[in-house]
Amino acid sequence: MSLMAALCVNMVTVNMLLSVFFLSGVSAQCGSITPAALFIDAPKEMEALSGSCLLIPCIFRAKDGTQFDSSREIYGVWIKNDPRFSNKDNVIFNSSQSVNSYKMQMTGNLREQNCTTLFSDLDKSKTNKYFFRIESEHFRATACDDPLQITVRDSPWSPRINISGEAKEKKSVTISCSAFTSCPHSPPQLTWNLQQNSHSQIEKNTDGTFTSKIQQSITLSDSHDGFNISCSATYPVDEGKPGKTKETQQTLSVTYAPKETSASISPSGLVSAGSWVNLTCSSRANPPISSFSWFLKTKDGSMKVAEGQFYTVNMTNMTESYYCEATNILGHNRSSWIHLKNEESFPLSTILAVTVSVVIVLIFLPLCVCRLKRKNPTQQQTQNQTGEEEEIHYGDIKFSDRRAAPSSVSEQDSGQQQETVYARIQVSKAESSSEQSAEGLQDLYAQVNKK
Ligand SMILES: *[C@@H]1O[C@H](CO)[C@@H](O)[C@H](O)[C@H]1NC(C)=O
Ligand SMILES: *[C@@H]1O[C@H](CO)[C@@H](O)[C@H](O)[C@H]1NC(C)=O
Ligand SMILES: *[C@@H]1O[C@H](CO)[C@@H](O)[C@H](O)[C@H]1NC(C)=O
Ligand SMILES: *[C@@H]1O[C@H](CO)[C@@H](O)[C@H](O)[C@H]1NC(C)=O
Ligand SMILES: *[C@@H]1O[C@H](CO)[C@@H](O)[C@H](O)[C@H]1NC(C)=O
Ligand SMILES: *[C@@H]1O[C@H](CO)[C@@H](O)[C@H](O)[C@H]1NC(C)=O
Ligand SMILES: *[C@@H]1O[C@H](CO)[C@@H](O)[C@H](O)[C@H]1NC(C)=O
Ligand SMILES: *[C@@H]1O[C@H](CO)[C@@H](O)[C@H](O)[C@H]1NC(C)=O
């Protein structure tokens, strides 16, 4: 075991020694008049998109004590693959030349030791290691120890969505979408499903690379919870070709206190006293509800009677009122009152319901009939006929009811009158027979006939 361990350690040491030797070997063999006299400050590795360009941020510095005169003519050179450019083809760019094998441009001012370079027309074959070199009258050096690995990829980078701040209801957060920008000269176009007209900004990172970014501040509410933010970055590539697009989604999680708390009863109809009734409390919250509580209305206020989302009650002969309350770490929210009624209270409520409906019918039925009459003239006639018949019939009954007694009375009256008249004739006949003449009797008859 210990032998094995020792062997392993030895092998690691040997490997490390070898790699150190190899690296220093490269440095030593660096083909320059003054060896390892140049250093660059640039990313060690960079990614680029085929069809797009790459801006290489770069600052160079000559080794202390070397003769570097910035007032002289200076040329910048890029060498690929191997700093020993015994193979002249490896010199892919020389700023003193107007034609170069790779399309590059020194955008930095070499006199200011700025070797920033714009690398255009990239394709996958240009994935390689690159070395920077300076050539002037008395100073020629390659930055052999600072290779730059460039990897050219076909697919664009995914944009990143960042939410800064606490994603909690009523809090304001800044949501941003940013995309790596290899080439600030043709930055990606960012679009998202938030505010559409957000202006894209290009920011410089500490390592000299760039990032395109859009951002928006939002005051959060529970309705934002679960919202999927999607952002896409479209990188322009060779002219005439459609840009390369990549989309990113992120679901917004907003924490909020319970909302829309409600209590429901099952069964929902009327139940008889002594049977079980299930009460269910529901609410929504983020994070989820940690506890549900049930409260019963008493004459001394509401009293907590149970915990849990479900509560089973044995119905009493009284009407009971409950509400439930849902709680999570952010707060609580209660439902409105629910009332448990049993069948015993049915007659009273029925009477009430029936009374109300009768009143409603009494008020609205005549209105409805009127409307119907106005609306439908062909129906009007038939309705009129039947209506009149009914009315007449109704009236007859009423009249006959009312007149039955008075008419019989009046018949009696008239009978009595006739009798009276007749009696008077008889009386006058008797009187006349005793005192008056026959002419007087005829006179009386004539009077009666006139009536
Ligand atoms: C760069 O170009 C200059 C002028 O043409 C030439 O003298 C020099 O050798 C070139 N450098 C390299 C590394 O090829
Ligand atoms: C180098 O030059 C570029 C312009 O090509 C400029 O954007 C950058 O700021 C310069 N770097 C420094 C360190 O001055
Ligand atoms: C999001 O942005 C904030 C501030 O802008 C930053 O501190 C944080 O690191 C960023 N997070 C990610 C994942 O980029
Ligand atoms: C949001 O996106 C996720 C997957 O990214 C998906 O599962 C979910 O259904 C989406 N939600 C909405 C509201 O679109
Ligand atoms: C419960 O939440 C609703 C929103 O769903 C809110 O309107 C109501 O004011 C809240 N009630 C309490 C007592 O917090
Ligand atoms: C409900 O309570 C009453 C009296 O409290 C009892 O007589 C009855 O059996 C109970 N009902 C059930 C279903 O347990
Ligand atoms: C009440 O819920 C229990 C289970 O929780 C169920 O067995 C019972 O049938 C339910 N009763 C009613 C009236 O819904
Ligand atoms: C309910 O029943 C009890 C006896 O169990 C009785 O004393 C009380 O008067 C009843 N209440 C109603 C409103 O019927």
Side-chain angles (χ1 to χ4, degrees), residues 316-319 344:
T316 64
N317 59 356
M318 315 262 280
T319 292
E344 273 77 72

Side-chain angles (χ1 to χ4, degrees), residues 41-193:
D41 193 355
K44 297 265 174 286
E45 291 176 357
M46 292 195 87
E47 276 193 328
L49 181 65
S50 64
S52 182
C53 65
L54 174 68
L55 187 74
I56 305 164
C58 175
I59 295 292
F60 69 89
R61 135 183 90 79
K63 192 181 179 182
D64 291 340
T66 51
Q67 300 171 285
F68 173 70
D69 186 352
S70 61
S71 64
R72 303 291 178 109
E73 193 88 53
I74 310 161
Y75 300 114
V77 175
W78 283 99
I79 304 153
K80 73 171 182 186
N81 197 33
D82 187 342
R84 297 160 298 169
F85 48 94
S86 46
N87 179 0
K88 279 276 172 191
D89 288 348
N90 280 348
V91 180
I92 45 97
F93 176 78
N94 184 337
S95 68
S96 72
Q97 253 131 64
S98 52
V99 180
N100 286 290
S101 52
Y102 282 16
K103 195 176 171 191
M104 285 178 143
Q105 186 193 345
M106 302 288 331
T107 59
N109 185 347
L110 290 173
R111 288 178 196 284
E112 291 169 3
Q113 306 189 11
N114 187 335
C115 48
T116 299
T117 305
L118 181 64
F119 195 168
S120 308
D121 280 353
L122 286 158
D123 59 63
K124 282 194 97 171
S125 73
K126 287 170 183 161
T127 291
N128 215 325
K129 201 180 277 179
Y130 292 85
F131 294 88
F132 183 67
R133 178 176 169 83
I134 282 288
E135 295 193 345
S136 69
E137 201 179 335
H138 299 296
F139 184 81
R140 291 166 176 244
T142 305
C144 303
D145 292 346
D146 301 322
L148 163 62
Q149 174 65 48
I150 293 176
T151 305
V152 183
R153 45 190 280 168
D154 275 334
S155 68
W157 300 272
S158 295
R160 292 179 308 274
I161 293 168
N162 186 4
I163 299 155
S164 70
E166 195 186 2
K168 189 174 169 183
E169 64 176 338
K170 296 178 190 129
K171 294 266 164 125
S172 178
V173 291
T174 300
I175 301 174
S176 68
C177 176
S178 53
F180 177 62
T181 303
S182 56
C183 180
H185 299 75
S186 55
Q189 192 195 345
L190 294 169
T191 51
W192 63 359
N193 58 353

Side-chain angles (χ1 to χ4, degrees), residues 258-261 332-334:
K259 300 265 180 288
E260 290 164 18
T261 307
H332 46 76
N333 186 256
R334 43 163 290 188

Side-chain angles (χ1 to χ4, degrees), residues 409-427:
V409 165
S410 65
E411 268 168 30
Q412 267 184 350
D413 279 352
S414 58
Q416 276 169 355
Q417 276 175 348
Q418 279 174 359
E419 272 176 358
T420 312
V421 172
Y422 193 63
R424 277 168 73 183
I425 293 162
Q426 280 181 326
V427 165

Side-chain angles (χ1 to χ4, degrees), residues 120-325:
S120 308
D121 280 353
L122 286 158
D123 59 63
K124 282 194 97 171
S125 73
K126 287 170 183 161
T127 291
N128 215 325
K129 201 180 277 179
Y130 292 85
F131 294 88
F132 183 67
R133 178 176 169 83
I134 282 288
E135 295 193 345
S136 69
E137 201 179 335
H138 299 296
F139 184 81
R140 291 166 176 244
T142 305
C144 303
D145 292 346
D146 301 322
L148 163 62
Q149 174 65 48
I150 293 176
T151 305
V152 183
R153 45 190 280 168
D154 275 334
S155 68
W157 300 272
S158 295
R160 292 179 308 274
I161 293 168
N162 186 4
I163 299 155
S164 70
E166 195 186 2
K168 189 174 169 183
E169 64 176 338
K170 296 178 190 129
K171 294 266 164 125
S172 178
V173 291
T174 300
I175 301 174
S176 68
C177 176
S178 53
F180 177 62
T181 303
S182 56
C183 180
H185 299 75
S186 55
Q189 192 195 345
L190 294 169
T191 51
W192 63 359
N193 58 353
L194 294 176
Q195 199 171 46
Q196 273 312 313
N197 49 3
S198 343
H199 287 295
S200 174
Q201 293 167 345
I202 298 179
E203 291 178 351
K204 194 172 185 175
N205 305 316
T206 48
D207 66 352
T209 60
F210 293 85
T211 299
S212 299
K213 186 170 168 184
I214 48 174
Q215 64 178 37
Q216 188 188 339
S217 290
I218 301 181
T219 301
L220 297 172
S221 77
D222 59 291
S223 65
H224 292 110
D225 186 44
F227 179 76
N228 275 349
I229 305 166
S230 76
C231 181
S232 65
T234 302
Y235 290 85
V237 289
D238 309 317
E239 274 165 56
K241 286 189 191 167
K244 292 183 174 176
T245 302
K246 199 80 168 243
E247 191 186 73
T248 297
Q249 281 205 346
Q250 188 169 326
T251 305
L252 192 53
S253 173
V254 178
T255 58
Y256 57 92
K259 300 265 180 288
E260 290 164 18
T261 307
S262 67
S264 61
I265 313 169
S266 162
S268 55
L270 292 153
V271 268
S272 53
S275 64
W276 294 106
V277 166
N278 285 345
L279 306 183
T280 304
C281 189
S282 59
S283 184
R284 58 183 180 84
N286 183 18
I289 308 290
S290 53
S291 73
F292 289 99
S293 308
W294 291 94
F295 292 84
L296 170 69
K297 189 182 207 164
T298 68
K299 60 181 188 298
D300 306 319
S302 48
M303 184 179 77
K304 186 168 167 179
V305 289
E307 290 245 335
Q309 189 172 11
F310 308 101
Y311 178 40
T312 304
V313 187
N314 181 347
M315 283 294 291
T316 64
N317 59 356
M318 315 262 280
T319 292
E320 288 180 343
S321 300
Y322 292 90
Y323 72 81
C324 72
E325 188 177 77

